């Protein structure tokens, strides 16, 4: 679809990932005229950009898919227990085809500005292609991990070899066969890509600043009986996931790690380790709130690392000791720790002596030079706020979102931010988002927003805005809940700690997917408590 110079739509949706796709579908059903803007050349969001070797979802395939249409969830078959990136992208494209979404999508177009006009209650969006679009609603489905981040080493431009970021992996793929490769970082993306890169590279050197806890995925081809069992019980299972804490069904044990004998504790942890995946964190109900409980689980995993990695010094370097398990995003891997037993893999600790510079031939750590053919940045994202604050968003009275969020993001329910009427955030900061199964949280937000717009249409309302005092209360609540857990003790991207100068604020809402949904539903049922709703601007003026 090509934009005309100035177009008018009911809703402008920014982003064609799972959030933007479903939002378009829901709003079309309400009869709204919509346009989706997407920087990439296709749909899929995260799964469009993150094509690095080994990229895979760590929520089980049967749970990581849309639940809104029975035919969609019945007709699609996943080939593995945990789907790889190509298959998830294929799924996103399948949904786009089935729902004929692309005709309202404009690709290779990045929204650069959005301005609210309080006189008309309309947003004007501008894009890097020069498009100007006027919309009643501006819906930011921009993703939580969509602005890739590279550190700013001196000499970044000097390196003569190839450089890559896991979050911007070339579509044509990269052949690292026989190369001397560096991977910087040991987060989820690195932990998935390192075992695959090690198989191709002549030599792989991993630069680790903070070791991470990782649990084996135990990924397999999809067992037919397992798929069938899910497909016949989808309604119940989806309902249970929506009411759960994380949006993922993982059989949580509802008792404390301190309530059982040491023998029992080890047996439970071993059972979860053998089952694999993030369900390890559901071994007990207090792993993220009780330091002693957490210590037991953390030491269990450290001992596993010690048993898997042959060289004791490397094993000790890989064993995380500086943060409670789970407070930095828990990783899920296939043969990550075993990869360090390969002769062609070296681990370099850059915690005490950081990477000093990039050179023409590689990296400098202190006085030591390392030469490479390719350097892979697995250095993460400016998470949750980075994409939104890079768009020049101006609300009432020209207030800039970037300025408003200077000391940390402020939202009411993670859905709207006061002063920015008619702008909805899909899985915004202050909502469970990244602490949950993203598709469950996306569907909940999209449904809430679509229902809200239907409510407004039915009553000829034209403008909705979060109340600032309600927003202050919500921000306080998000903080209070977070500080009852161990999460804020880690230097994680949840806290903004990975971006120099970013305020240290716990950004997602940790109160749980189920109870959060209930709160959102109650707010709607009470006539959108905490929001101001208004008729069209001209009508309001006439009534005064
Ligand atoms: O990014 P990260 P990611 N010198 O920020 C290191 C989701 N995800 O792309 O911890 C040296 O976690 C940094 O070190 P430190 C998931 O939610 C999901 O891996 O800051 N190192 C860290 O080790 C995940 O959490 C899936 O000390 C530097 C790494 O780079 C999120 O995306 C798969 C450095 C960045 O790790 C982000 O994961 C992949 C420097 N100057 C991702 N700067 C699945 O579903 C940064 N680092 C499986």
């Amino acid at each position: 679809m090509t934009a005309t110079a100035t177009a008018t739509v009911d809703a402008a949706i920014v982003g064609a990932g799972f959030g933007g796709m479903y939002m378009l579908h829901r709003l079309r059903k309400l009869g709204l005229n919509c346009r989706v803007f997407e920087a990439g050349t296709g749909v899929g969001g995260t799964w469009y950009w993150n094509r690095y070797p080994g990229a895979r979802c760590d929520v089980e395939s049967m749970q990581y898919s849309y639940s809104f249409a029975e035919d969609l969830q019945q007709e699609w078959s996943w080939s593995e227990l945990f789907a790889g990136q190509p298959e998830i992208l294929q799924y996103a494209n399948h949904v786009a085809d089935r729902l004929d979404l692309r005709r309202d999508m404009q690709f290779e177009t990045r929204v650069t500005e959005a301005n609210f006009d309080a006189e008309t209650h309309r947003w004007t969006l501008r894009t890097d292609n020069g498009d100007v679009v006027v919309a009643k609603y501006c819906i930011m489905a921009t993703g939580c991990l969509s602005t890739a981040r590279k550190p700013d080493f001196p000499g970044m431009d000097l390196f003569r070899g190839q450089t890559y970021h896991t979050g911007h992996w070339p579509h044509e793929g990269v052949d690292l066969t026989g190369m001397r490769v560096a991977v910087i970082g040991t987060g989820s993306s690195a932990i998935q890509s390192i075992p695959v890169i090690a198989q191709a590279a002549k030599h792989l050197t991993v630069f680790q600043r903070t070791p991470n806890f990782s649990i084996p995925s135990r990924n397999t081809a999809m067992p037919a009986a397992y798929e069938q069992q899910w497909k016949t019980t989808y309604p119940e299972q989806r309902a249970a996931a929506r009411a759960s804490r994380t949006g993922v069904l993982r059989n949580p044990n509802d008792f404390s790690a301190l309530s059982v004998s040491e023998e029992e504790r080890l047996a439970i942890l071993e059972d979860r380790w053998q089952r694999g995946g993030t369900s390890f964190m559901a071994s007990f109900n207090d792993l993220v709130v009780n330091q002693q409980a957490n210590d037991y689980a953390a030491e269990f995993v450290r001992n596993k690392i010690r048993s898997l990695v042959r060289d004791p010094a490397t094993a000790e370097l890989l064993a995380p000791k500086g943060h409670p398990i789970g407070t930095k995003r828990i990783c899920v891997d296939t043969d990550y720790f075993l990869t360090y037993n390969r002769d062609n893999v070296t681990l370099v600790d850059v915690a005490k002596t950081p990477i000093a510079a990039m050179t023409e031939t590689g990296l400098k750590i202190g006085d030591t030079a390392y030469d490479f053919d390719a350097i892979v940045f697995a250095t993460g994202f400016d998470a949750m706020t980075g994409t939104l604050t890079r768009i020049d968003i101006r609300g009432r009275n020209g207030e800039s979102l970037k300025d408003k969020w200077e000391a940390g993001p402020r939202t009411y329910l993670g859905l709207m931010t006061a002063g920015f009427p008619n702008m909805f955030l899909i899985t915004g900061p202050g909502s469970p988002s990244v602490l949950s199964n993203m598709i469950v949280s996306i569907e909940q937000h999209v449904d809430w927003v679509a229902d809200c717009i239907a409510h407004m249409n039915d009553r000829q309302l034209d403008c909705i805005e979060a109340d600032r005092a309600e927003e202050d209360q919500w921000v306080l609540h998000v903080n209070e809940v977070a500080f009852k857990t161990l999460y804020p003790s880690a230097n994680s991207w949840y806290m903004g700690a990975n971006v120099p100068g970013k305020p240290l604020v716990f950004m997602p809402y940790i109160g749980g997917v189920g109870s959060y949904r209930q709160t959102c539903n109650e707010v709607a049922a009470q006539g959108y408590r905490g929001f101001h709703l208004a008729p069209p601007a001209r009508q309001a003026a006439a009534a005064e």
Side-chain angles (χ1 to χ4, degrees):
M1 175 177 180
T2 333
T4 49
T6 301
T8 303
V9 293
D10 297 317
I13 300 168
V14 188
F18 283 109
M21 289 167 66
Y22 182 40
M23 192 77 251
L24 171 61
H25 178 63
R26 278 294 321 258
L27 293 185
R28 265 187 190 168
K29 293 223 151 195
L30 293 179
L32 267 67
N33 166 22
C34 307
R35 181 175 296 169
V36 178
F37 295 98
E38 166 57 53
T41 58
V43 298
T46 281
W47 302 103
Y48 169 91
W49 296 103
N50 288 268
R51 298 173 189 235
Y52 58 84
R56 184 173 293 289
C57 187
D58 58 13
V59 174
E60 274 193 23
S61 308
M62 296 312 296
Q63 304 197 47
Y64 193 81
S65 56
Y66 286 126
S67 70
F68 65 83
E70 177 62 4
D71 47 355
L72 262 186
Q73 63 183 9
Q74 290 298 335
E75 75 197 17
W76 185 261
S77 272
W78 297 101
S79 68
E80 292 176 275
L81 213 49
F82 293 94
Q85 173 273 332
E87 195 172 13
I88 303 174
L89 187 57
Q90 233 178 323
Y91 170 72
N93 277 289
H94 167 75
V95 176
D97 291 340
R98 280 279 271 101
L99 304 178
D100 189 19
L101 296 178
R102 288 191 198 80
R103 70 183 151 87
D104 287 324
M105 291 181 165
Q106 193 176 322
F107 295 105
E108 295 181 86
T109 307
R110 187 176 285 281
V111 171
T112 52
E113 281 177 42
N115 284 282
F116 181 71
D117 182 341
E119 297 286 309
T120 58
H121 295 165
R122 294 293 179 271
W123 282 92
T124 301
L125 287 86
R126 288 172 206 279
T127 76
D128 59 356
N129 286 336
D131 310 301
V132 182
V133 179
V134 176
K136 179 166 169 186
Y137 299 107
C138 172
I139 299 165
M140 295 300 190
T142 42
C144 297
L145 294 157
S146 41
T147 296
R149 223 202 114 249
K150 274 188 189 171
D152 193 15
F153 301 133
M156 283 296 269
D157 300 332
L158 295 179
F159 183 59
R160 289 196 306 249
Q162 302 160 15
T163 59
Y164 304 100
H165 191 290
T166 48
H168 279 287
W169 204 259
H171 288 199
E172 61 280 14
V174 178
D175 184 6
L176 296 170
T177 309
M179 289 194 187
R180 297 162 304 164
V181 181
V183 170
I184 303 174
T186 46
S188 295
S189 304
I191 280 177
Q192 289 188 324
S193 58
I194 283 166
V196 185
I197 293 176
Q199 286 171 30
K202 180 174 171 207
H203 195 93
L204 168 63
T205 309
V206 177
F207 293 90
Q208 171 185 274
R209 188 164 66 184
T210 310
N212 252 315
F213 293 98
S214 187
I215 311 296
S217 73
R218 314 282 178 208
N219 190 26
T220 61
M222 179 66 74
Y226 188 69
E227 179 181 4
Q228 202 43 41
Q229 179 212 328
W230 267 93
K231 286 193 170 173
T232 48
T233 54
Y234 252 141
E236 301 90 293
Q237 308 259 37
R238 298 290 203 188
R242 290 184 197 114
S244 72
R245 199 173 68 78
T246 59
V248 187
L249 294 182
R250 46 185 202 174
N251 278 326
N253 284 330
D254 196 16
F255 50 85
S256 161
L258 313 182
S259 68
V260 294
S261 68
E262 187 181 355
E263 203 184 3
E264 255 179 286
R265 193 161 50 233
L266 288 174
I268 290 169
L269 291 169
E270 182 63 34
D271 172 54
R272 292 278 169 164
W273 177 268
Q274 292 307 333
R275 284 200 236 167
T278 59
S279 102
F280 183 81
M281 290 306 294
S283 304
F284 301 102
N285 67 6
D286 53 356
L287 293 188
V288 294
V289 290
N290 182 300
Q291 186 63 58
Q292 198 183 345
N294 191 285
D295 288 344
Y296 287 132
E299 186 59 10
F300 177 90
V301 175
R302 284 192 287 267
N303 284 334
K304 285 291 181 193
I305 297 169
R306 290 171 185 129
S307 73
L308 290 167
V309 180
R310 273 202 300 271
D311 173 47
T314 305
E316 250 359 270
L317 266 184
L318 288 166
K321 297 173 192 95
H323 63 276
I325 184 168
T327 56
K328 268 175 169 294
R329 170 65 144 65
I330 191 100
C331 300
V332 173
D333 71 277
T334 300
D335 295 340
Y336 173 64
F337 294 113
L338 290 176
T339 298
Y340 291 93
N341 294 337
R342 295 175 65 107
D343 292 337
N344 71 333
V345 176
T346 311
L347 180 67
V348 176
D349 176 21
V350 292
K352 288 197 195 78
T353 312
I355 297 170
M358 266 174 100
T359 64
E360 286 189 5
T361 54
L363 294 168
K364 232 177 136 194
I365 319 296
D367 292 332
T368 313
Y370 293 82
D371 289 348
F372 298 108
D373 302 305
I375 298 177
V376 174
F377 288 88
T379 45
F381 301 87
D382 186 348
M384 306 204 72
T385 56
T387 307
L388 289 170
T389 55
R390 276 169 179 77
I391 304 172
D392 187 3
I393 302 174
R394 302 204 174 243
R396 233 178 240 295
N397 307 318
E399 183 183 18
S400 123
L401 185 75
K402 190 171 174 220
D403 291 347
K404 181 182 172 188
W405 285 7
E406 202 178 3
R410 304 189 71 76
T411 70
Y412 179 40
L413 297 169
L415 279 161
M416 293 195 96
T417 183
F420 297 78
N422 288 5
M423 184 179 84
F424 294 100
L425 311 174
I426 303 302
T427 65
S431 75
S433 64
V434 292
L435 297 173
S436 71
N437 179 344
M438 282 304 295
I439 299 197
V440 171
S441 287
I442 282 170
E443 285 191 332
Q444 185 251 333
H445 265 197
V446 167
D447 286 336
W448 192 95
V449 171
D451 293 348
C452 172
I453 290 176
H455 171 96
M456 290 173 65
N457 283 352
D458 290 347
R459 290 160 183 77
Q460 280 94 48
L461 295 167
D462 195 60
C463 187
I464 177 164
E465 180 175 3
D467 177 77
R468 245 172 238 265
E470 285 287 344
E471 176 170 290
D472 291 346
Q473 284 304 312
W474 183 253
V475 171
L476 205 65
H477 174 63
V478 170
N479 267 285
E480 274 169 6
V481 181
F483 278 86
K484 284 184 187 148
T485 74
L486 303 171
Y487 274 87
S489 62
N491 282 332
S492 66
W493 58 257
Y494 296 135
M495 292 289 294
N498 65 326
V499 178
K502 193 164 171 171
L504 292 178
V505 175
F506 192 77
M507 294 183 286
Y509 177 55
I510 203 171
V513 161
S515 64
Y516 170 79
R517 174 186 298 269
Q518 211 178 325
T519 304
C520 292
N521 289 347
E522 281 164 15
V523 163
Q526 290 162 13
Y528 294 89
R529 189 190 72 221
F531 291 96
H532 299 285
L533 292 118
R538 254 180 252 112
Q539 241 171 278
E544 276 166 15

